[in-house]
Amino acid sequence: MKSQVVNLTYEIELKPGEKLTLPESLVESLGAGSWIITIQPKSNSPVITRTHDAFLKGYAPEDEGLYDDYPTG
């Protein structure tokens, strides 16, 4: 049995009175097997992605090499 993870995401907007139709490319890509189709409302708030920029900006140029002599295990 061949296994492959596939995750397709489509963002759509329905206007009042419109009905949902699936894109033909999606319908054609489905074959025999078990499928899970999830429909959820889009969040109105922006997605917040955490970064480590604060860590990288936390050292001043004069700190360069400060920990070079620290033994590593």
Side-chain angles (χ1 to χ4, degrees):
M1 176 171 79
K2 189 175 184 180
S3 178
Q4 181 180 1
V5 176
V6 176
N7 185 354
L8 299 173
T9 302
Y10 287 90
E11 182 177 323
I12 61 166
E13 182 177 341
L14 293 176
K15 296 189 180 2
E18 281 186 310
K19 293 189 179 193
L20 173 66
T21 57
L22 297 174
E24 189 64 30
S25 60
L26 173 62
V27 175
E28 292 298 322
S29 70
L30 299 177
S34 299
W35 296 91
I36 297 174
I37 298 175
T38 304
I39 299 176
Q40 64 187 36
K42 180 182 174 187
S43 172
N44 289 334
S45 60
V47 176
I48 298 173
T49 304
R50 294 183 181 186
T51 66
H52 299 285
D53 291 346
F55 174 77
L56 297 174
K57 296 175 184 173
Y59 289 98
E62 57 269 16
D63 292 338
E64 187 66 36
L66 186 63
Y67 301 106
D68 287 352
D69 294 331
Y70 190 82
T72 58

